[in-house]
């Protein structure tokens, strides 16, 4: 499965929601499919997209938050799974695209290429719902079911280590940061009013 196709398959679940992605290839792919002001592409802070998503989910319980993570990033911050599991926000969906590679910096193999099982680690960390989805249909269904279930869910999806030709996004980090903040404030206000 190509991650680009996987993102397209779940895009209907993403487009009107709060989304936080890791940097690099997957950010550029989602941006190309269709940027929204409520999408934030976390540059530089590798491993912390799930931590940021957790904070947003806890502070905006009326809104669903989706984190798009990578195997290399998650392996760098495995403690995030136990922290997520400790607070269990039902409005948080954590999707990990596992390409067994640090694709964005040249494609070096990660520990999932040599047997590390991220879904198993998520389960053992106490994440209440953990799914594995390796086809477009099962991924789209899992994402839909997870969002409907109001249960903290991690979905691990194996994808090919293939990314876009360029990671260029016509959206500087600061612009994305201000736009995202305003989008979340507007969502909060809408919910109050
Ligand atoms: C602390 C830190 N270390 C290293 C990097 C360089 N870096 C940027 S993206 C990336 C690889 C991310 O791998 P993964 O999460 O598996 O996503 P993929 O690139 O495969 O889509 C690395 C090592 C960084 N930005 N920050």
């Amino acid at each position: 499965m190509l991650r680009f196709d996987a993102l397209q398959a779940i895009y209907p679940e993403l487009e009107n929601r709060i989304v936080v992605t890791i940097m690099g290839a997957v950010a550029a792919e989602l941006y190309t499919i269709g940027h929204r002001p409520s999408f934030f592409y976390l540059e530089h802070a590798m491993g912390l997209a799930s931590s940021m998503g957790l904070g947003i989910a806890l502070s905006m319980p009326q809104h669903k938050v989706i984190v798009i993570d990578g195997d290399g990033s998650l392996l760098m911050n495995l403690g995030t799974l136990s922290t997520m599991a400790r607070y269990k926000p039902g409005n948080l969906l954590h999707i990990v695209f596992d390409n067994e590679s640090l694709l964005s910096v040249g494609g070096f193999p990660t520990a999932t290429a040599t047997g590390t099982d991220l879904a198993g680690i998520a389960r053992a960390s106490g994440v209440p719902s953990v799914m594995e989805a390796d086809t477009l249909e099962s991924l789209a269904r899992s994402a839909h079911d997870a969002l409907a279930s109001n249960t903290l869910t991690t979905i691990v999806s194996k994808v090919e280590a293939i990314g876009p030709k360029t990671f260029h996004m016509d959206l500087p980090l600061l612009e994305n940061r201000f736009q995202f903040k305003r989008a979340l404030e507007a969502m909060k206000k809408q919910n109050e009013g």
Side-chain angles (χ1 to χ4, degrees):
M1 178 164 70
L2 285 176
R3 185 174 52 193
F4 190 86
D5 295 340
L7 283 170
Q8 278 190 312
I10 59 168
Y11 191 76
E13 305 290 349
L14 307 180
E15 61 180 336
N16 296 314
R17 294 204 164 101
I18 299 166
V19 177
V20 180
T21 77
I22 59 166
M23 75 199 93
V26 72
E29 287 169 343
L30 181 60
Y31 180 80
T32 303
I33 292 168
H35 175 64
R36 292 283 181 275
S38 59
F39 291 2
F40 186 71
Y41 314 96
L42 183 60
E43 301 291 336
H44 309 301
M46 187 175 164
L48 295 176
S50 55
S51 304
M52 182 173 173
L54 173 62
I56 296 169
L58 290 171
S59 63
M60 295 182 66
Q62 311 297 330
H63 297 271
K64 309 268 188 202
V65 179
I66 300 160
V67 169
I68 308 283
D69 214 340
D71 51 298
S73 298
L74 181 56
L75 284 162
M76 212 161 162
N77 181 22
L78 281 175
T80 194
L81 292 168
S82 44
T83 309
M84 279 167 32
R86 180 175 194 169
Y87 294 100
K88 290 187 183 51
N91 58 329
L92 180 60
L93 169 59
H94 178 217
I95 300 175
V96 186
F97 286 117
D98 179 2
N99 57 14
E100 304 185 353
S101 163
L102 298 172
L103 181 74
S104 300
V105 288
F108 308 99
T110 69
T112 62
T114 50
T116 296
D117 170 9
L118 290 174
I121 295 174
R123 283 189 194 99
S125 301
V127 175
S129 173
V130 179
M131 306 181 196
E132 284 157 274
D134 300 336
T135 65
L136 296 176
E137 296 72 27
S138 67
L139 174 62
R141 195 172 348 98
S142 302
H144 180 82
D145 291 353
L147 288 162
S149 73
N150 224 33
T151 304
L152 169 66
T153 301
T154 293
I155 301 174
V156 180
S157 227
K158 287 276 185 187
V159 288
E160 289 177 55
I162 295 173
K165 283 197 175 66
T166 163
F167 300 160
H168 178 72
M169 292 159 58
D170 190 18
L171 180 69
L173 172 62
L174 274 183
E175 188 176 342
N176 187 202
R177 178 238 184 277
F178 292 127
Q179 190 184 66
F180 183 67
K181 180 172 180 281
R182 280 197 295 275
L184 267 53
E185 281 168 354
M187 285 169 111
K188 260 189 174 170
K189 225 176 252 167
Q190 213 172 22
N191 204 248
E192 285 158 10

